[in-house]
Amino acid sequence: MAAPRDGTLSWFLALTLGVSLIKFLLIKAYHSTDFEVHRNWLAITHSLPVSKWYFEETSEWTLDYPPFFAWFEYGLSHIAKYFDEEMLVVQNLTYASPATILFQRLSVIFTDLVFVYAVCFSSCVKYRVCFVTMLSLKAYFVPSFVLAVLLLWNFGLLIVDHIHFQYNGFLFGVFLLSVARHFQGRHLEGAFLFAVLLNLKHIYLYIAPAYGIYLLRSFCLIQDNSDGSLKWRNFSFIRLAALGIIVCSVFALSFGPFLALDQLPQVLSRLFPFKRGLCHAYWAPNFWALYNAADKALSVLGIKLKLLDVAKLPKASMTGGLVQEFQHSVLPSVSPLITLICTLISVSPALFSIWHRPCGARGFLRCCVICALGSFLFGWHVHEKAILMAILPLSILAVESKDDAGVFLILATTGHLSLFPLLFTTPEFPIKILLMLLFTLYSFTSLKRLFRPECCLINTVESVYLSGLIPLEIFCELIYPLTSWQQTFPFIPLLLTSVYCAFGIIYSFFRLYGILLRGPRYTTKRKSH
Amino acid sequence: METWAVASICVLLGLTARWTVSLNSYSGASKAPMFGDYEAQRHWQEVTFNLPVRQWYFNTTDNDLKYWGLDYPPLTAFHSLLCAHIANLINPDWIELHKSRGYESPAHKFFMRATVIFADVLIYIPAVVVYCLYLAQGSSKTKSSALLCILLYPGLILIDNGHFQYNSVSLGLALWGVLGLGCGHDLLGSLAFTLALSYKQMELYHALPFFWYLLGKCGKLGLTGKGLILLVKISLTVLVSFALCWLPFLFDPQQTLQVIHRLFPMARGLFEDKVANVWCSLNILVKIKTLLSVDTQIYLSFGTTLLAVLPSSIKLLMKPTFWQFRLALMNSSLAFFLFSFQVHEKSILLAALPACLLLNELPLMSVWFLHTSTFSMLPLLLKDNLFQPYIITSLGFIVFSLYLFSAVDRSSVDDLRLGPCCRLTGTNFLWFSFSTVVKLQFALSVLTMAGLSFMSAALEPPAKLPDLFPVLVSACACVHFLGFLLYFNLVQLTESPRSDKKKIN
């Protein structure tokens, strides 16, 4: 939309209202089993004592989020009882009365207000605090408008939270608030918020290394030598102690009760279920998807060339993509430890980089994105939804530098397209196409306009790759189901999507590394419209 | 941002709103034995696909006219036939003769919803885009604001994609007609309008302004020279396109008469259900529907309608400009809605189309009218379980249209184009007080409508008055519409030649 030019927040309220109305309209849309997962957690936390929360297993969807999230559900359940008491009974499996659906959907929409507040904070306040010197007052408005749209109208958040059903908006809100605190230099508050976030959803462990290094380097070390080298004498143990006390007390508050009940091993085994396979049923578009695909290709090739014996191959490998446990037939199998090592290796250069050459909060944010992407690419049993952890923080960087904007376009487009298999029902097909087009069109045109003097953001090869997503989607969703292969090889479209998107995501990972090591080029002069 | 990008974003938003509304229930969902408009449209596919053309409009053993008999002009029937052929390719059960009655399934719902969206994309939305980008005046911001607001107008979305009808086809064709006339392509414009009229007879509401505008234009060119040639060309275009649409029914006079009889069912009485027009509202005080004979009712409604359209028609004939034409469309369709015979609540959409075209010039009144028109269909929407999308889309429409046009601030005498009227009558408003009064009235009216909406949805009516809320809603809307009729007539009739030039430039 044409950006209005007044200094007030009316445009922000209009954006919020617009996206909230779309969320309300999506109440009637399809919801996945995650809906039942959260209903079950409401029931567990409402009707059972704390000591049984992590033991209850009437439903297969046991509580596997950290304690703060359980308390969050406990709080929600006290509002839920005014909508429909029946949803709070543990035995009522797959209970979904209209009142239940309305309540659950509304709970997502209203807890999203945390996210809205955080976006308002990071897109408006942040600019006023930090960049007023950099951008003239008139110009700062346009990037903050674009940023607000990129965050609030994010395609992934809309379909994952408001169709598929999860509470990511609220969690990202806490995360963005924590990042904004670091931008303001209020590190203790930032650390506190992040500790809370870790206890709401432990997937944020992906970016914990970035937080750790950043806080040690930029907060605990008060001052550098004039030549930029480290000066250990300036290490402030008081600050470290303050950090430690804050983080530890948050964790104590969260896990303390379970430690006292002697249930910590049980809680942890619920939080980290390594019994699940390397990849989720639908392969997230990461390194292991390529690894699996290569394995499958090699085994097919081996059988064709009579190098391999069909009888000796593991049985599941030919129906792969449908089973949780994927056994490799040619390439060596991968254990959780190997994925952990790969992840650490992939993110360590970024961590070293911000240790040796901290680029302020922006460098920290870039390191967060790299950590999230590294864990996404090499982690154990990664969900496709985790890509949002990289896309959302990267939007903040994208409105500031041309390089980041280019990476953002590639990462967001491929990452969002890889979310398509989440919505496989027919009535939702037009919605995902429309919302995706809306977001992609906006992000491309607005970012291009933002950096217009410096021409194109992505090169020819990249744009060819991105346009390849269109025929891929048409083939997978429209043509393939009409062919006879749909019956025999139903997993082919999913496999194609995840392999194709994996290339784009791995590529953006390397490009981000390039920017981090070289240092981004910031544009100082920007057109105001 | 480039205009095409903004326009596509508006279109995508409009489509998203349409599709998300279409996830909701439709008219007569699982309400055997008669179901609703959804079943009517499906039944027409069944009839047109399985029966020969000459049986379509007749009561036969295979075609029970009492069960959703075809009562729209031939183009609708052809459209149903086309949809039926596609349905037949996907699943022949959907249109099997007799056996498919009341057929409902998620896949069929998806198909039907998709046909509506497809017609939207093909006819209505391009017309709106062309109008806003090429014919509407103002900066690129106002143009895209108008585009967004027209595409998000809740009334049409709720009826077409919620309740289930194909109004966007007839309205889209009529809009193409308006576009043709606005761009000076009179022949193409009259062709498009003839198609609209052959799709839905209710387009007659718009027919008079088309007629007077073209006649006035011919008159201006000189009825003995160029004007006559143009007039002959236009009449030929209209006659030939009519003949082509009605071809299968023209060979037998009995067929033609039967179709016309089906299109204008005089026996159905002055009005049905609760409509926000004058007769239904008068009926609360005086039971005219039972007091007067059907013939008297017809003469009465005919006479009053004619009287109500007359002033705007004469003015248009004298002064055939595009601005006058749009105002006349508004006045004529509103007069027809308020006074004519056998009006449906959905017919207000015909008046909503010209109101959309006036958004740029008269933002506050158009938004107000469009909002009222959606509100007037509330009883119908409640019946279809569409209250939730009604609230959401209405809220979105009113907030965004007021915000994008800063409509509330544009409420002075001149903004409302009442300046000439005041000068004529010698009324001397203090500018400040006038706009405050308008704002207050607007706020009061929106609050009343919101209050009535929530009361209708939440409260049980007293046992003695089961129709209390629908009656209140339609009476309230009717009062509004009368006010709008007066206002738009004032604007049209008092427009002076001098201010006209300013507007055209």
Side-chain angles (χ1 to χ4, degrees):
Chain A
M1 286 308 303
R5 276 186 195 86
D6 49 69
T8 63
L9 282 184
S10 65
W11 57 269
F12 186 80
L13 293 179
L15 279 182
T16 312
L17 183 76
V19 77
S20 305
L21 291 176
I22 291 189
K23 292 171 188 173
F24 279 111
L25 282 175
L26 289 175
I27 287 178
K28 287 275 165 71
Y30 144 90
H31 51 78
S32 72
T33 46
D34 273 350
F35 178 86
E36 167 63 9
V37 171
H38 286 91
R39 187 212 55 80
N40 184 40
W41 295 354
L42 277 178
I44 289 177
T45 52
H46 188 80
S47 53
L48 297 177
V50 179
S51 58
K52 288 191 181 154
W53 283 2
Y54 285 93
F55 283 93
E56 166 60 41
E57 50 186 11
T58 311
S59 158
E60 60 175 312
W61 312 114
T62 54
L63 183 55
D64 56 7
Y65 272 25
F68 276 1
F69 198 84
W71 287 109
F72 167 71
E73 293 277 3
Y74 177 77
L76 282 183
S77 70
H78 283 279
I79 309 169
K81 64 186 173 194
Y82 297 108
F83 281 76
D84 188 349
E85 290 257 18
E86 288 296 298
M87 77 171 109
L88 298 173
V89 178
V90 178
Q91 279 72 32
N92 280 347
L93 297 184
T94 66
Y95 183 79
S97 66
T100 310
I101 294 177
L102 185 69
F103 167 73
Q104 294 250 70
R105 291 285 200 204
L106 287 182
S107 72
V108 181
I109 296 173
F110 281 102
T111 52
D112 258 7
L113 291 179
V114 177
F115 181 65
V116 171
Y117 172 71
V119 173
C120 179
F121 200 81
S122 48
S123 66
C124 309
V125 180
K126 195 191 80 179
Y127 278 96
R128 230 162 271 176
V129 174
C130 307
F131 303 134
V132 146
T133 46
M134 220 170 88
L135 310 160
S136 75
L137 262 177
K138 205 177 171 190
Y140 89 81
F141 175 75
V142 176
S144 63
F145 181 85
V146 174
L147 177 60
V149 180
L150 291 185
L151 289 172
L152 284 179
W153 286 72
N154 183 280
F155 166 78
L157 268 189
L158 271 180
I159 68 160
V160 173
D161 277 16
H162 302 278
I163 304 181
H164 180 84
F165 199 85
Q166 279 194 345
Y167 288 93
N168 291 301
F170 153 64
L171 299 167
F172 274 115
V174 178
F175 173 60
L176 281 185
L177 276 181
S178 152
V179 170
R181 291 285 181 243
H182 287 304
F183 268 84
Q184 287 178 300
R186 289 151 73 174
H187 297 289
L188 285 177
E189 288 171 56
F192 168 76
L193 283 171
F194 187 69
V196 171
L197 182 64
L198 276 181
N199 284 296
L200 280 168
K201 192 169 179 178
H202 50 304
I203 197 170
Y204 286 92
L205 276 175
Y206 283 5
I207 44 180
Y211 263 86
I213 301 286
Y214 174 69
L215 284 172
L216 276 182
R217 180 70 177 83
S218 301
F219 180 60
C220 295
L221 270 168
I222 297 172
Q223 201 184 353
D224 287 349
N225 284 336
S226 49
D227 60 349
S229 62
L230 291 175
K231 198 175 179 185
W232 284 101
R233 255 187 311 146
N234 281 339
F235 193 83
S236 160
F237 284 98
I238 300 172
R239 287 190 170 190
L240 183 65
L243 263 186
I245 289 171
I246 285 176
V247 173
C248 289
S249 51
V250 169
F251 273 87
L253 196 65
S254 163
F255 286 94
F258 299 97
L259 194 66
L261 290 166
D262 211 12
Q263 294 180 349
L264 203 57
Q266 168 70 13
V267 174
L268 291 180
S269 75
R270 281 279 173 88
L271 295 190
F272 301 101
F274 280 106
K275 278 180 209 110
R276 295 188 193 168
L278 172 66
C279 288
H280 193 56
Y282 158 59
W283 301 346
N286 60 8
F287 177 74
W288 304 121
L290 293 184
Y291 189 80
N292 287 353
D295 178 74
K296 188 162 286 186
L298 285 177
S299 64
V300 171
L301 202 70
I303 294 168
K304 278 262 168 72
L305 296 176
K306 304 235 164 65
L307 292 173
L308 289 169
D309 185 8
V310 183
K312 277 185 191 165
L313 288 178
K315 230 180 157 190
S317 68
M318 294 317 290
T319 56
L322 293 175
V323 284
Q324 292 260 320
E325 302 257 357
F326 182 85
Q327 285 182 296
H328 296 100
S329 42
V330 184
L331 298 173
S333 279
V334 180
S335 71
L337 189 66
I338 294 176
T339 63
L340 185 67
I341 293 169
C342 287
T343 312
L344 286 180
I345 292 175
S346 74
V347 301
S348 50
L351 298 176
F352 277 118
S353 158
I354 63 159
W355 177 264
H356 283 294
R357 203 179 46 160
C359 303
R362 234 179 259 117
F364 154 69
L365 195 58
R366 183 167 293 105
C367 188
C368 280
V369 176
I370 289 181
C371 284
L373 264 184
S375 320
F376 178 82
L377 287 178
F378 298 101
W380 179 262
H381 196 82
V382 173
H383 284 234
E384 65 279 21
K385 291 157 241 166
I387 194 63
L388 292 180
M389 282 177 66
I391 295 177
L392 284 169
L394 190 57
S395 347
I396 302 179
L397 296 172
V399 295
E400 288 173 15
S401 99
K402 184 191 159 229
D403 296 328
D404 289 317
V407 182
F408 173 78
L409 291 179
I410 301 169
L411 184 69
T413 315
T414 44
H416 285 157
L417 193 105
S418 73
L419 294 174
F420 270 22
L422 274 181
L423 306 181
F424 50 85
T425 44
T426 334
E428 279 69 28
F429 177 71
I431 298 182
K432 71 181 178 188
I433 298 285
L434 289 170
L435 288 177
M436 174 81 182
L437 281 178
L438 201 59
F439 184 80
T440 314
L441 183 69
Y442 182 80
S443 52
F444 270 83
T445 48
S446 63
L447 287 177
K448 205 177 256 177
R449 206 190 93 205
L450 213 52
F451 303 103
R452 192 161 44 187
E454 293 146 85
C455 87
C456 43
L457 295 172
I458 51 175
N459 62 35
T460 326
V461 180
E462 290 162 348
S463 43
V464 167
Y465 169 79
L466 287 184
S467 3
L469 290 168
I470 300 170
L472 174 80
E473 175 59 18
I474 293 175
F475 174 76
C476 290
E477 301 247 16
L478 297 176
I479 299 174
Y480 193 82
L482 300 177
T483 62
S484 56
W485 298 325
Q486 174 71 9
Q487 306 304 320
T488 41
F489 304 105
F491 57 87
I492 291 285
L494 296 184
L495 194 148
L496 277 181
T497 311
S498 65
V499 168
Y500 193 89
C501 292
F503 283 112
I505 290 173
I506 291 174
Y507 172 77
S508 9
F509 179 66
F510 283 113
R511 253 193 79 173
L512 265 181
Y513 250 120
I515 300 172
L516 180 80
L517 299 179
R518 193 186 59 231
R521 292 165 293 178
Y522 285 99
T523 45
T524 45
K525 189 171 162 261
R526 208 170 271 149
K527 279 211 165 181
S528 61
H529 59 269
Chain B
M1 223 159 165
E2 297 91 339
T3 318
W4 70 265
V6 178
S8 352
I9 285 174
C10 295
V11 170
L12 284 172
L13 283 172
L15 285 175
T16 310
R18 279 170 169 70
W19 191 263
T20 42
V21 166
S22 77
L23 295 175
N24 285 278
S25 164
Y26 46 82
S27 152
S30 51
K31 280 182 193 151
M34 274 310 270
F35 304 95
D37 275 344
Y38 176 88
E39 167 64 8
Q41 300 286 348
R42 194 211 55 75
H43 180 68
W44 292 351
Q45 294 178 9
E46 174 195 335
V47 169
T48 50
F49 185 78
N50 291 299
L51 302 181
V53 179
R54 68 199 132 72
Q55 284 191 30
W56 287 359
Y57 288 92
F58 278 89
N59 207 18
T60 63
T61 45
D62 285 332
N63 190 13
D64 177 11
L65 286 186
K66 277 189 191 134
Y67 183 82
W68 300 114
L70 197 50
D71 54 2
Y72 278 0
L75 215 52
T76 296
F78 297 141
H79 181 207
S80 296
L81 183 62
L82 180 72
C83 292
H85 275 286
I86 300 167
N88 189 44
L89 284 180
I90 303 171
N91 186 351
D93 290 353
W94 292 348
I95 47 158
E96 203 182 344
L97 194 60
H98 302 310
K99 280 187 189 157
S100 63
R101 274 200 186 179
Y103 190 100
E104 286 174 303
S105 78
H108 186 245
K109 181 182 170 192
F110 181 83
F111 166 73
M112 295 292 271
R113 297 295 202 195
T115 58
V116 177
I117 284 266
F118 189 70
D120 255 350
V121 171
L122 216 62
I123 299 175
Y124 183 69
I125 292 179
V128 175
V129 173
V130 171
Y131 174 78
C132 289
L133 295 190
Y134 298 106
L135 265 180
Q137 286 143 30
S139 66
S140 65
K141 194 200 161 204
T142 36
K143 283 180 180 177
S144 39
S145 307
L147 179 58
L148 185 67
C149 293
I150 298 178
L151 289 181
L152 287 184
Y153 167 57
L156 187 62
I157 299 182
L158 290 168
I159 294 301
D160 272 15
N161 303 86
H163 175 85
F164 202 90
Q165 276 195 342
Y166 294 95
N167 289 298
S168 57
V169 177
S170 56
L171 292 180
L173 287 171
L175 188 51
W176 278 114
V178 174
L179 287 176
L181 265 55
C183 299
H185 298 290
D186 295 330
L187 295 184
L188 288 177
S190 24
L191 170 69
F193 185 70
T194 319
L195 293 179
L197 204 52
S198 314
Y199 191 89
K200 217 168 183 181
Q201 68 272 32
M202 263 76 97
E203 280 299 328
L204 277 174
Y205 290 18
H206 291 147
L208 284 179
F210 272 89
F211 178 70
W212 295 121
Y213 176 79
L214 289 172
L215 193 65
K217 198 174 171 187
C218 295
K220 253 189 173 177
L221 291 172
L223 264 183
T224 45
K226 272 186 185 170
L228 188 65
I229 301 168
L230 184 62
L231 192 63
V232 171
K233 273 189 193 165
I234 292 171
S235 347
L236 273 179
T237 317
V238 171
L239 285 177
V240 170
S241 42
F242 253 123
L244 283 177
C245 290
W246 290 65
L247 198 59
F249 308 96
L250 287 181
F251 296 113
D252 185 0
Q254 204 194 346
Q255 281 279 346
T256 322
L257 282 178
Q258 172 68 8
V259 177
I260 290 174
H261 173 73
R262 292 289 305 160
L263 298 191
F264 302 101
M266 293 305 178
R268 277 166 78 174
L270 195 52
F271 58 88
E272 281 175 29
D273 289 340
K274 293 288 172 285
V275 186
N277 76 351
V278 169
W279 306 127
C280 182
S281 306
L282 262 185
N283 207 46
I284 307 170
L285 308 172
V286 192
K287 299 284 167 217
I288 34 176
K289 206 176 174 184
T290 40
L291 280 178
L292 302 177
S293 71
V294 176
D295 281 342
T296 331
Q297 289 176 17
I298 292 177
Y299 291 132
L300 182 67
S301 60
F302 186 73
T304 41
T305 315
L306 210 61
L307 215 61
V309 214
L310 205 60
S312 90
S313 300
I314 294 175
K315 174 86 184 185
L316 178 63
L317 182 66
M318 310 301 288
K319 196 176 168 193
T321 62
F322 190 52
W323 166 245
Q324 280 283 332
F325 173 54
R326 281 180 290 163
L327 282 170
L329 277 176
M330 179 78 224
N331 285 324
S332 153
S333 47
L334 196 51
F336 267 95
F337 176 81
L338 283 172
F339 297 106
S340 70
F341 192 79
Q342 248 289 311
V343 174
H344 288 262
E345 60 274 63
K346 283 158 273 183
S347 303
I348 195 63
L349 293 179
L350 288 148
L353 180 74
C356 288
L357 304 185
L358 296 172
L359 262 174
N360 267 338
E361 286 85 0
L362 303 165
L364 183 65
M365 293 314 256
S366 309
V367 170
W368 195 352
F369 175 82
L370 289 170
H371 182 69
T372 317
S373 68
T374 316
F375 167 74
S376 76
M377 294 181 285
L378 178 68
L380 179 76
L381 300 173
L382 276 175
K383 222 188 279 169
D384 296 341
N385 270 328
L386 290 171
F387 184 69
Q388 192 181 310
Y390 159 75
I391 291 294
I392 299 165
T393 50
S394 303
L395 183 69
F397 175 75
I398 198 148
V399 170
F400 280 100
S401 50
L402 294 181
Y403 173 70
L404 289 172
F405 286 105
S406 348
V408 179
D409 299 329
R410 292 165 66 182
S411 55
S412 70
V413 175
D414 280 343
D415 284 328
L416 298 182
R417 306 273 164 113
L418 285 175
C421 171
C422 295
R423 278 193 290 278
L424 272 180
T425 52
T427 328
N428 209 350
F429 289 112
L430 285 172
W431 282 36
F432 171 73
S433 68
F434 177 81
S435 86
T436 317
V437 168
V438 171
K439 278 179 204 168
L440 269 180
Q441 271 184 355
F442 177 69
L444 198 69
S445 127
V446 171
L447 284 179
T448 316
M449 289 192 256
L452 269 178
S453 300
F454 282 106
M455 274 157 64
S456 325
L459 297 184
E460 279 288 316
K464 273 189 202 164
L465 305 163
D467 279 342
L468 176 68
F469 291 121
V471 168
L472 278 181
V473 167
S474 53
C476 171
C478 179
V479 172
H480 276 87
F481 291 149
L482 282 170
F484 285 119
L485 183 69
L486 185 69
Y487 166 77
F488 284 113
N489 267 302
L490 276 180
V491 174
Q492 192 193 354
L493 298 179
T494 58
E495 191 212 10
S496 58
R498 199 161 42 82
S499 60
D500 175 49
K501 265 179 201 153
K502 221 167 45 191
K503 259 157 244 151
I504 280 178
N505 296 333

